[in-house]
Amino acid sequence: MQNKALIVGASGIIGSALARRLLDDGWSVAGLARRPVEAAGVTPVAADLLDAEATAKALKGLAPTHAFIATWSRQKTEAENIRVNAAMVRNLLDGLRLEGSVRHVALVTGLKHYLGPFEAFGTGKVHDTPFREEQGRLEVDNFYYAQEDELFAAARRDGFSWSVHRPHTVIGKAVGNAMNMGTTLAVYATICKETGRPFRFPGSPMQWNGLSDLTDAKLLARHLAWAATTPAAADEAFNVVNGDIIRWRWMWGRVAEWFGLEPAPFDGEIAPLERQMADDAEVWRLIAEREGLVESDLGRLASPWHTDADLGRPVEVVTDMGKSRRLGFLDHQPTDDAFFALFEELRRDRLIP
């Protein structure tokens, strides 16, 4: 029987990469969103996951064999994140139960499983690095845990297998995405080159000097497909990173070099992009107009708040991939190459000059 995927968040960084991967592998793919974006080969499904009845109606007759949850809704507080995002997962899985076709459900969360939510990011008690899947939950409210609990309960009830995937910051292409470091850095570098402003690292001394890792969206897509079709990977949570380790004091220079910039010396002071780019909307509009770019709205390309959260952390972040390696997933992606491939794609698609 052909594998039939339902991707929730098919237009995002993760979902769009996964859709391309599965289509290439011969899957049938549907993409669910409140306002689905047309994509070649992907059947659009319109539904608001906060409306249980509408979600069940939208899923009727779809009969996917696999569901991939690669989206979330950002709220003002973690309590609201928990309420809203848990309800989205619950309503989706309740709707799929009526179809009775799902064999596996994958949930994408992230390293905030080990670091805590944005409002307490990397503060208080966190696990030792490298982060390992057997490290338990922190004693803090976290919507990732609430999403997992909905998944686990539905799996017990309905008899499907599950996997949880915890990437670090994801490098990939999407427009209108709330968490998009790669495109944010590309836009920031373009603006610095245009205005002559220094290309200044916005984060903390710990992130500049310490060890870190990232996740390429294409590698994550391969991991999702692997876990969904590998019996030994059923009912497991996995870290998913590229497999190399970087220091930002090296990577910052690599990014600068790609754009023909000299990186500014790091003086140890945090200089958030949210502050640096606060007045750049008009600068970007003029660049886009002059260069014939397809997106002139800075807010649909850059997410400075998210990049600031990642690069401003006061703790080292290194992630163990041992569980996946032992079970047979051996893919590796050099992180600088992942950035460069993204920048080339953004340029080819006329999102940056």
Side-chain angles (χ1 to χ4, degrees):
M1 183 173 63
Q2 182 188 32
N3 289 326
K4 299 176 64 177
L6 174 67
I7 302 175
V8 183
S11 63
I13 292 176
I14 297 166
S16 59
L18 176 60
R20 290 192 294 270
R21 174 77 265 165
L22 297 181
L23 288 168
D24 287 346
D25 288 347
W27 291 51
S28 169
V29 178
L32 184 148
R34 281 186 299 173
R35 293 179 292 277
V37 176
E38 294 293 329
V42 178
T43 301
V45 180
D48 179 354
L49 289 180
L50 289 176
D51 185 330
E53 184 177 348
T55 298
K57 184 177 180 180
L59 294 174
K60 188 174 182 180
L62 198 63
T65 59
H66 297 72
F68 300 88
I69 305 171
T71 191
W72 69 293
S73 178
R74 185 187 181 200
Q75 305 298 310
K76 291 183 178 180
T77 67
E78 194 61 18
E80 277 298 290
N81 277 333
I82 290 169
R83 183 185 69 81
V84 168
N85 289 282
M88 290 168 62
V89 173
R90 182 169 60 253
N91 291 340
L92 173 73
L93 298 179
D94 285 349
L96 290 173
R97 183 188 193 192
L98 299 175
E99 294 298 292
S101 60
V102 171
R103 304 197 301 263
H104 185 87
V105 177
L107 171 66
V108 181
T109 60
L111 296 194
K112 290 189 292 297
H113 181 92
Y114 310 105
L115 289 163
F118 280 123
E119 61 188 44
F121 205 25
T123 61
K125 183 181 183 298
V126 297
H127 290 296
D128 286 337
T129 56
F131 295 136
R132 301 179 307 280
E133 292 92 345
E134 64 267 24
Q135 291 170 329
R137 296 178 175 184
L138 301 175
E139 295 181 1
V140 61
D141 290 340
N142 191 324
F143 81 87
Y144 284 174
Y145 305 159
Q147 288 181 309
E148 286 183 343
D149 288 343
E150 295 291 346
L151 174 65
F152 300 157
R156 288 192 298 269
R157 178 191 71 195
D158 299 334
F160 57 76
S161 63
W162 57 266
S163 56
V164 174
H165 304 254
R166 299 170 185 160
H168 195 175
T169 302
V170 178
I171 305 168
K173 179 196 165 192
V175 176
N177 193 275
M179 301 191 298
N180 193 336
M181 177 188 282
T183 305
T184 298
L185 294 183
V187 168
Y188 174 58
T190 301
I191 290 172
C192 287
K193 191 168 186 178
E194 172 78 13
T195 61
R197 282 159 35 189
F199 186 60
R200 183 177 180 185
F201 182 71
S204 68
M206 173 60 78
Q207 293 305 306
W208 180 255
N209 293 308
L211 297 174
S212 191
D213 48 29
L214 293 95
T215 305
D216 181 71
K218 296 181 179 67
L219 180 138
L220 176 54
R222 296 194 298 273
H223 193 276
L224 283 158
W226 166 80
T229 56
T230 300
D235 302 337
E236 296 284 353
F238 296 100
N239 297 329
V240 192
V241 288
N242 287 339
D244 62 353
I245 297 173
I246 68 161
R247 297 185 197 272
W248 272 103
R249 69 189 187 206
W250 173 78
M251 183 61 72
W252 197 250
R254 296 285 283 159
V255 173
E257 182 181 12
W258 197 92
F259 286 96
L261 294 167
E262 284 290 330
F266 182 59
D267 61 7
E269 294 296 322
I270 295 177
L273 288 181
E274 199 161 26
R275 184 178 71 212
Q276 291 192 56
M277 301 177 71
D279 300 319
D280 283 341
E282 180 64 11
V283 174
W284 185 257
R285 188 190 68 79
L286 293 173
I287 293 172
E289 183 178 281
R290 185 189 71 221
E291 301 292 336
L293 305 183
V294 298
E295 182 55 70
S296 61
D297 183 351
L298 179 65
R300 284 181 52 75
L301 292 175
S303 52
W305 71 272
H306 173 256
T307 300
D308 287 340
D310 275 3
L311 298 183
R313 288 181 297 222
V315 295
E316 178 183 83
V317 180
V318 182
T319 316
D320 182 76
M321 278 281 287
K323 180 191 282 191
S324 292
R325 306 302 189 215
R326 287 191 293 273
L327 292 177
F329 184 83
L330 305 178
D331 291 23
H332 177 275
Q333 171 63 58
T335 296
D336 51 346
D337 287 350
F339 274 120
F340 300 158
L342 170 63
F343 300 155
E344 291 284 3
E345 186 176 7
L346 295 175
R347 180 168 285 173
R348 183 179 64 247
D349 293 345
R350 304 302 303 155
L351 286 165
I352 63 172

